[in-house]
Amino acid sequence: MPFSSKTDRTSPAETITRAIIERLEAGTRPWVRPWSGAAVSRPLRSCGTPYRGINVLWLWMAAEAGGFSSPFWLTYHQAQLQGGQVRKGERGTIAVFYKSYSKTVEDRETGEAHDEARRVLKSFVVFNASQVDGLPARYAPPTAQPLPVDERDTRLDAFFAAIPARLRHGGCEAYYSPSTDHITMLEIAAFRGRDHYRATLSHELAHWTGHTSRLARSLDGRFGSDAYAMEELIAELAAAMIGSEVGLPTEHLDNHASYLASWLRVLKADSRAILSAAAKAEEASALILRLGSRETVQPDEQREPDILEAA
């Protein structure tokens, strides 16, 4: 059971990567979520702040495996502080964060000692609110009613219209061109519905964030290369994160099934690759959500530890 709090010699990165590889080998991408306008779909800390990076994907997987419907995740101590008690026999899962420290090292050439900044990936155990009795009502699964179709469409159209990406419509495929910094989309009528169009646009906007004038990711990988596979993985994860915030399903991503072999190759070669991809997807989704006036994470110096970026 990959979501157990039981510890062994496997590192957090290896534990997470191994579970994701198992899903991919079974033909399932754990970031594909059938959102339908729920009030909040990201995993939330005890205080209500959304988790970020790899914790988003990992806790989605844990919730699905456990059949949990609440978005809240708490440590054992946090549950007690809220007047709750983890039920006997319940097993927690890990969440991860980077701990920074300095180490004194000696320069091999000069022999002089200096402090070197380092980071190590750490984990802590959390429980879903569905595993805890006696919590306040705010930890219950959300029951928000979906917006009327017209109102929802108006909001989503306004969200995407606020993002200053150059769009062209036509042709038979959707793609982002780094050389001209524009996105080409098929006409809306070519999609299964408006949500399919928007979710595909989210994927291409994620690529758009990688331009040198924005987040400056490497976008020159050739099809089939590890660099290309990583960028596609970043875009998929970012589209899923955006979808979780604005209520867009991501089942459309099945048209990228041909990338599974490339992702498996990358993940098997580097246990931290998925952490890096998730961190960059977090940056991409945060930029898009901010431009669309849907800021996901507010500045908060007191927030609980969380993975912000990969080593």
Side-chain angles (χ1 to χ4, degrees), residues 26-41:
T28 300
R29 283 152 305 141
W31 52 85
V32 174
R33 315 300 296 171
W35 308 128
S36 58
V40 177
S41 295

Side-chain angles (χ1 to χ4, degrees), residues 106-125:
E106 184 178 290
D107 190 293
R108 292 183 179 181
E109 296 183 0
T110 66
E112 295 181 356
H114 65 278
D115 289 336
E116 185 177 276
R118 296 187 177 184
R119 296 192 310 161
V120 61
L121 187 67
K122 294 286 189 177
S123 65
F124 57 101
V125 177

Side-chain angles (χ1 to χ4, degrees), residues 42-55:
R42 280 196 180 220
L44 301 176
R45 300 181 182 88
S46 173
C47 61
T49 303
Y51 277 97
R52 298 192 287 166
I54 192 62
N55 281 322

